[in-house]
Amino acid sequence: MEAAPDWAIEAKGLVKIFGKHRAVDGVDLTVRRGTVFGFLGPNGAGKTTTIRLLATLLKPDGGSARIFGHDLSKEGDEIRSRISLTGQYASIDEDLTGMENLVMMGRLMGYGRAAAKARAAELLKAFGLQEAAKRQVKNYSGGMRRRIDIAASIVVTPELLFLDEPTVGLDPRSRNQVWDIIRALVGSGTTVLLTTQYLEEADQLADRIAVINQGKIIAEGTSSELKASVGTGTLSLQLVNAEDRPRAVNILEDKLSAAVRSMPDSTSLTAQINDSFLVADALSELARERIAVSDFSFGRPSLDEVFLTLTGHEAAQEAQSEEGVS
Amino acid sequence: MTGYIEQREKEASELRLNESIASSDRPKPPSAVASTLTFATRALLRIKHVPEQMFDVTVFPVIFLLMFTYLFGGAIAGSTEEYLQFLLPGILVMTVAQITMYTGIDLNNDIRKGIFDRFRTLPIWLPSALIGSLLVDVVRYSMASVIMITLGFALGFRPEGGLMGVMGAIALILVFSFSLSWIWTVCGLIVRSEKALMMISFMVLFPLTFVSNVFVDPRTLPSWLESFVDVNPISILATAVRGAMHGTVTTQQVILVLIVSVIMTAIFAPITVYLYRNKK
Ligand SMILES: Nc1ncnc2c1ncn2[C@@H]1O[C@H](COP(=O)(O)OP(=O)(O)OP(=O)(O)O)[C@@H](O)[C@H]1O
Ligand SMILES: [Mg+2]
């Protein structure tokens, strides 16, 4: 089978089992060349494992995948010369300086000594790490560490870059810097597969998004498709008093003739509804019943709501308990 | 006004970013030699930044030599000077054999820190990552040897084999240690924590180095122990090194060391590389 050249990733039924646990459980994935694909899921969903499979770091227990048409199980070297991985945790030699790390990567990519130095200097400057070039990476801040880590991955611009939770733990400024870097990479034609737990990040960067939970992809599409799949309009309400909630649910369900969901916190409610007149009506009924509302919005659902609807309440709880254990 | 300047700075930095990303074209992957040298350079840079890691090859040999010479010298051989002639080659073998275990610990650290994953996604000849750092380890072992022999000389060690004999002895130790290191790289790849790794290394090394002919003549031992001491690779090496330093070495002794080294490398180097490639 000759693969269509415009696919960066075509994965079919990927499975990875750790002991008895199916960490990745039949993942199908297609990523078009030159796009950003967002991989969204709670803790333990299988995001990192999927990336490690696709980056030739793990052997799948089932299924197959092609990277730029090259078979994952047979053409590892071909694939490795096209991809790059920035792992979830910094994969840099912390005892070396930023400069030394990048020169080393340049040499390992095949540059001569002078070219590797020049390239390292250029990247440090572009990533705003010039002043830190001669400092050991262990003295870097979280944001600087992330940037040097990404810089090390693109010493030679890869055709496909895997970014595993690139902005976790960064302040908004550092996060924006990383986003700028990702956008610049895409501008130069690199395909990016990024995992994230932040819906805003997927919304901002990704052309297409897959939601993964318990090793399975449960939804896939553009961010507007995902939002539409949940409903076109969403009413979100926050009550002042938690004890009003049962009454509020009754009133809203009555006025809107739609299901009203109680959110995990004790005062929030959401409902899928398109008719703005009904919404206005329902709100005035709440006012007549003296149920105070501290916040409300009506519009297209946020990705957060999509995420919660798709993964379900249990997934969120499970992820939390899992985090507690590890 | 400042807004304007900020805007221009932002544009300039964006331009730099875009240029830096667009300007890299892919060179040919490095040769095995080039990547090995790069990994060796990395190990040297690590020594430069973390000089404490030279502790084992500088302080250990000194302490070991002084301790064993003065502690056992009088008791076992009657005179320290006489015992030193017998002891120094063996102590040298023991010290270097014990330092080889740090190779496995370094590799284990790389795995837990994630840089190992980065190396594994590179289009390089993967064994170079291991060989590069082993080469620098060989340099460290030479340092330990030179330090110990120099100190021994000051204490009255007089090798009858002369400079050539001593150099030959060091060469044998280096070949043997390089081969022995592959056992530790296998352990470093299998064992999860550094602590467990240390424990395993000691459990292997202690009996191997002490139940050997390093300290005592095996003929004084009960026969069942003697036969173990005779086949212990550390004894085989110590015999050849002692012979080389005192000018009595036989070809057979040297060949035996080389055979042991080849066997260790032939078994454990491929396992290391296999595990390195297929590590979960
Ligand atoms: N080497 C391993 N051995 C055993 N179990 C593993 C291993 N790696 C991952 N797992 C398990 O597989 C599941 C998926 O893990 P994975 O790291 O892929 O999740 P993730 O989506 O990246 O989560 P996070 O957001 O926390 O990074 C988890 O339950 C995890 O405990
Ligand atoms: Mg992860």
Side-chain angles (χ1 to χ4, degrees), chain A residues 16 18 52 55 57-59 80-83 85 90-93 95-97 100 104-105 107-111 119 122-123 125-127 136 149 152-158 180-181 184-185 188, chain B residues 10 13-14 16-30 34-35 37-39 41-42 45-46 48-50 110 113-124 277-280:
Chain A
K16 184 72 203 178
F18 292 116
R52 288 170 58 83
L57 289 172
L58 284 177
K59 284 202 165 54
R80 278 187 283 276
S81 70
R82 288 175 168 75
I83 63 165
L85 166 74
S91 39
I92 282 284
D93 192 331
D95 291 323
L96 265 51
T97 67
E100 287 163 350
M104 172 176 76
M105 289 308 295
R107 298 281 286 148
L108 292 176
M109 298 302 303
Y111 283 118
R119 178 67 182 147
E122 180 183 38
L123 277 173
K125 196 163 177 199
F127 279 48
Q136 282 174 280
D149 207 11
S153 305
I154 64 164
V155 168
V156 171
T157 311
D180 284 343
I181 293 169
L185 275 164
S188 79
Chain B
K10 187 161 188 302
S13 79
E14 258 168 38
R16 267 203 303 275
L17 192 59
N18 288 328
E19 274 176 358
S20 74
I21 286 166
S23 72
S24 84
D25 40 25
R26 184 170 286 274
K28 268 226 285 286
S35 56
L37 288 179
T38 306
F39 283 110
T41 309
R42 171 184 177 228
L45 286 170
R46 289 177 60 85
K48 180 181 136 198
H49 289 295
V50 194
D110 272 359
K113 296 229 173 91
I115 195 167
F116 172 77
D117 276 354
R118 187 183 284 292
F119 294 153
R120 285 202 304 159
T121 52
L122 292 174
I124 52 170
R277 171 68 79 199
N278 296 295
K279 174 91 184 159
K280 297 250 162 81

Side-chain angles (χ1 to χ4, degrees), chain B residues 126-252:
Chain B
L126 214 46
S128 60
L130 299 155
I131 297 173
S133 54
L134 283 185
L135 286 180
V136 173
D137 281 339
V138 167
V139 173
R140 288 172 6 105
Y141 306 153
S142 325
M143 266 186 70
S145 310
V146 170
I147 288 175
M148 188 175 269
I149 292 169
T150 312
L151 177 66
F153 202 78
L155 296 177
F157 176 63
R158 294 289 174 270
E160 281 148 41
L163 188 62
M164 285 313 288
V166 170
M167 301 241 287
I170 293 180
L172 282 178
I173 291 179
L174 296 184
V175 170
F176 181 89
S177 308
F178 179 85
S179 316
L180 180 63
S181 296
W182 293 109
I183 298 184
W184 308 130
T185 52
V186 169
C187 295
L189 282 159
I190 294 174
V191 178
R192 274 170 200 256
S193 75
E194 184 174 330
K195 263 199 190 124
L197 188 59
M198 288 280 246
M199 215 179 66
I200 292 176
S201 308
F202 277 123
M203 264 164 50
V204 174
L205 277 171
F206 258 74
L208 222 54
T209 48
F210 282 93
V211 187
S212 70
N213 63 3
V214 166
F215 297 103
V216 290
D217 189 333
R219 272 165 299 182
T220 62
L221 298 171
S223 65
W224 59 272
L225 204 53
E226 189 186 343
S227 43
F228 173 77
V229 168
D230 283 343
V231 296
N232 181 347
I234 299 286
S235 306
I236 293 173
L237 178 64
T239 306
V241 167
R242 210 172 270 144
M245 285 188 175
H246 293 305
T248 60
V249 71
T250 65
T251 319
Q252 198 199 353

Side-chain angles (χ1 to χ4, degrees), chain A residues 10 33 51 56 64 70 88 90 130 155 194 212 229 231 270 294:
Chain A
E10 307 155 90
R33 189 191 281 263
I51 281 199
T56 75
S64 63
H70 296 282
Q88 191 165 352
Q130 233 168 335
V155 168
L194 94 139
I212 183 170
S229 75
T270 66
S294 64

Side-chain angles (χ1 to χ4, degrees), chain A residues 18 21 23 42-49 88 165 197 322:
Chain A
F18 292 116
H21 180 66
N43 287 128
K47 304 182 293 293
T48 300
T49 309
Q88 191 165 352
E165 305 200 14
Q197 298 177 27
E322 188 161 324

